[in-house]
Amino acid sequence: MDDAILVINAGSSSVKFAVAEAGDHAVTTLVKGKLTRLDQAPHFTATTDAGEVVADTFWEPTGGRQEILFGKLVDWLDHHLDGHTLLAAGHRVVHGGTRFTAPVVVTPRVLDDLADLIPLAPLHQPHNLEAIRAMAAAHPHLPQVACFDTAFHAGHSDAAMRFALPRALHEDGVRRYGFHGLSYEFIARQMARVAPDLARGRVVVAHLGNGASLCAMFNGRSVDSTMGFTALDGLPMGTRTGSIDAGVILYLLDQGMGHETLQHLLYEQSGLLGLSGGIGSDMRTLLGSGRLEAAQAVDYFVYRTVRDIGAMAACLGGLDGLVFTAGIGERSAEIRARIGRGCAWLGIDIDPVANARGTGCISGAMSRAAAWVIPTDEEQMIALHAIEALKTAASDDRISKEEFFHV
Ligand code: ADP
């Protein structure tokens, strides 16, 4: 019987999952799906890796009780994963703080430590941890592994990690962590396979999706990232501001804007949505709209991305390659071409034919720095981590095996 890993990515209003068959050095996705409308009648959908829909159904309302939802999910998997046994659940956890710089098998102690980090990521961490607790209740004997979005960036230099604030705040955790780490780690891994010379060099990876950031990598390791203390920093995103002068926040507070409103403004109403005057947060909508505000939103996105690629290249002391990934990076030839033109001074010369094809190397033969499109797969990275963490934990006598199961 083959082993499989259940991957969970739990958010405030939806839970995404994937099941990956566990091989020795690679994993293959068997099925992917999501649960939405968690506090109403949950909508459960699942497709095979080939895109065949294998579930599209509404479940009885559970009043948001996730242990019931996860129980139903495990039950569904029991009936749909012929010949596979679940070995573990791997969870995407947004914040590992300074302590968790690698994936970890969850024990009650680990869970308590992760809960201490909730103030650092109040919009995401509670949902990630709730999913771990719910899964423990639904399937008490399934080991769980937490994989962190921050971990890949843990090796940043002191200067890259700091804000110019009094040192005590840094010690209290007010520092630049960086996010999208599971995506960047997957890209680093893929690069080592498809472009090993480039992987050893100075590369800027552009993760351009609804959430967007850049990572400066040298020899497959993160040197700096545009995201900092939270996933609000850096590039403009679908609905998030990206970098903003902190003085604007002080001004809005002075004007009487409350915390909730401000949070909603910065996370939900800004970015492409705000810039376009409400036309949309989706790049496809903006590219397809003939309106000036949509064009200005796209211009701003390209402008800031080019500007920050320059900053990341400066951190690296030059640029050997630029890698595009995530929804916009993988699928929009137009945005890639525009960003590429903005980076001509860094030696990027994108070949229009290769760019239209949209996979692999897209730079021309004369390009001084390479440009690539590499699809990301955070679920695969989590599954690989879960397998690795289980192996490590199994050989660590200090961890009682009982501990895995009683979260
Ligand atoms: P998330 O951060 O939610 O995982 P994705 O990586 O799926 O997001 O990226 C979503 C973004 O990708 C959206 O802005 C969407 O418009 C954009 N996108 C997807 N396909 C295309 C396309 N063909 N052209 C332009 N943008 C696209």
Side-chain angles (χ1 to χ4, degrees), residues 109-195:
R109 265 258 305 281
V110 166
L111 202 58
D112 286 347
D113 289 347
L114 292 176
D116 288 344
L117 299 172
I118 286 176
L120 296 181
L123 298 181
H124 298 99
Q125 193 88 343
H127 305 293
N128 304 155
L129 303 189
E130 193 186 347
I132 296 177
R133 285 197 195 89
M135 181 53 83
H139 199 328
H141 297 293
L142 191 68
Q144 304 201 63
V145 177
C147 304
F148 305 100
D149 259 327
T150 46
F152 188 62
H153 304 294
H156 286 183
S157 67
D158 187 74
M161 262 195 270
R162 278 187 192 274
F163 292 113
L165 285 168
R167 294 183 80 86
L169 282 168
H170 181 81
E171 299 316 317
D172 285 348
V174 184
R175 53 173 79 188
R176 301 186 66 243
Y177 295 93
F179 296 87
H180 284 146
L182 293 159
S183 170
Y184 290 129
E185 195 176 357
F186 183 80
I187 296 296
R189 212 183 124 88
Q190 289 297 91
M191 248 195 310
R193 289 164 57 171
V194 300

Side-chain angles (χ1 to χ4, degrees), residues 16 92 180 207-212 238 240 272 281-287 325-335 376 378:
K16 293 186 194 151
R92 179 179 191 176
H180 284 146
H207 176 113
L208 308 178
N210 266 323
R240 286 175 252 166
L272 295 174
S281 62
D282 196 294
M283 186 56 87
R284 278 166 298 196
T285 310
L286 299 180
L287 290 172
T325 195
I328 300 169
E330 290 168 29
R331 294 190 204 100
S332 178
E334 177 176 345
I335 298 295
T376 194
E378 288 148 310

Side-chain angles (χ1 to χ4, degrees), residues 53-387:
V53 177
V54 283
D56 186 350
T57 168
F58 288 89
W59 288 348
E60 290 285 301
T62 63
R65 291 187 53 200
Q66 290 214 4
E67 70 279 14
I68 302 179
L69 293 176
F70 279 99
K72 286 171 91 96
L73 174 61
V74 169
D75 203 36
W76 186 87
L77 292 173
D78 270 351
H79 292 92
H80 290 82
L81 287 179
D82 292 343
H84 289 86
T85 332
L86 283 185
L87 201 62
H91 291 258
R92 179 179 191 176
V93 175
V94 69
H95 225 301
T98 51
R99 183 168 156 213
F100 295 102
T101 56
V104 63
V105 175
V106 181
T107 64
R109 265 258 305 281
V110 166
L111 202 58
D112 286 347
D113 289 347
L114 292 176
D116 288 344
L117 299 172
I118 286 176
L120 296 181
L123 298 181
H124 298 99
Q125 193 88 343
H127 305 293
N128 304 155
L129 303 189
E130 193 186 347
I132 296 177
R133 285 197 195 89
M135 181 53 83
H139 199 328
H141 297 293
L142 191 68
Q144 304 201 63
V145 177
C147 304
F148 305 100
D149 259 327
T150 46
F152 188 62
H153 304 294
H156 286 183
S157 67
D158 187 74
M161 262 195 270
R162 278 187 192 274
F163 292 113
L165 285 168
R167 294 183 80 86
L169 282 168
H170 181 81
E171 299 316 317
D172 285 348
V174 184
R175 53 173 79 188
R176 301 186 66 243
Y177 295 93
F179 296 87
H180 284 146
L182 293 159
S183 170
Y184 290 129
E185 195 176 357
F186 183 80
I187 296 296
R189 212 183 124 88
Q190 289 297 91
M191 248 195 310
R193 289 164 57 171
V194 300
D197 288 343
L198 180 61
R200 284 190 282 274
R202 300 161 299 179
V203 178
V204 174
V205 182
H207 176 113
L208 308 178
N210 266 323
S213 71
L214 303 173
C215 178
M217 271 188 214
F218 177 64
N219 198 17
R221 290 175 193 276
S222 173
V223 172
D224 205 343
S225 164
T226 52
M227 279 181 171
F229 180 59
T230 64
L232 199 54
D233 202 6
L235 304 183
M237 305 175 220
T239 60
R240 286 175 252 166
T241 51
S243 301
I244 183 169
D245 179 348
V248 174
I249 311 298
L250 294 175
Y251 169 79
L252 294 174
L253 287 170
D254 277 350
Q255 296 298 304
M257 191 177 274
H259 176 274
E260 291 261 302
T261 316
L262 193 50
Q263 181 166 289
H264 189 61
L265 174 78
L266 298 173
Y267 279 92
E268 311 289 344
Q269 294 180 308
S270 300
L272 295 174
L273 181 66
L275 284 161
S276 67
I279 294 173
S281 62
D282 196 294
M283 186 56 87
R284 278 166 298 196
T285 310
L286 299 180
L287 290 172
S289 159
R291 296 198 16 216
L292 175 67
E293 297 90 334
Q296 285 176 336
V298 177
D299 288 350
Y300 182 91
F301 181 83
V302 171
Y303 173 76
R304 296 297 290 220
T305 304
V306 167
R307 200 181 93 139
D308 281 6
I309 289 173
M312 291 291 111
C315 299
L316 293 166
L319 187 73
D320 298 313
L322 174 63
V323 175
F324 292 96
T325 195
I328 300 169
E330 290 168 29
R331 294 190 204 100
S332 178
E334 177 176 345
I335 298 295
R336 288 194 301 263
R338 289 181 61 180
I339 291 173
R341 280 198 290 279
C343 295
W345 66 281
L346 281 166
I348 296 285
D349 179 11
I350 290 182
D351 174 61
V353 176
N355 188 36
R357 199 178 56 234
T359 52
C361 182
I362 58 167
S363 44
M366 302 306 282
S367 191
R368 274 189 290 122
W372 282 71
V373 177
I374 301 182
T376 194
D377 193 336
E378 288 148 310
E379 285 90 9
Q380 268 206 46
M381 200 62 243
I382 292 170
L384 287 162
H385 277 318
I387 295 166

